[in-house]
Amino acid sequence: NTLSLRDALRSMANNEALMLQQRIESQLEVPVYTISEPPFWKVRLGNFKTREEANQYKNIFLNLFPDMVGSTYVVPDKVVIIQ
C-alpha cells in the first residue's frame, strides 16, 4: 500500500459539502471526494503520494479559496495511484 494524502476540508452539512465540491471541480482539475461522517460531511481532494506534494497543492488551493484558510488540513488516506 502507498501512503497517500488528501486535503481534508472542514466538516459541514451535506448541501454545503456538495456545493463546495462543485465549486472546486469548476476551478481545479483534481479528484474531489465527499465523505459522510455523521453528523457531518467532509470534502477531500487529490491523490498525493507524499505529504510534501499535498502541502504544495494545499498552497495552490488556498490561493484560489482563501475562505478555507484555517479549515484545510493534509491527512493520510489510502488511495489508488494508477501509473
Side-chain angles (χ1 to χ4, degrees), residues 34-76:
T34 305
I35 302 164
S36 173
E37 290 184 5
F40 301 105
W41 287 79
K42 294 184 179 184
V43 178
R44 293 188 175 183
L45 61 129
N47 296 316
F48 305 105
K49 293 181 181 179
T50 66
R51 180 170 289 276
E52 180 180 308
E53 184 183 359
N55 276 316
Q56 288 173 351
Y57 199 86
K58 178 182 172 184
N59 292 332
I60 294 167
F61 173 80
L62 290 175
N63 283 329
L64 292 171
F65 299 91
D67 56 316
M68 299 304 297
V69 171
S71 59
T72 302
Y73 310 93
V74 174
V75 296

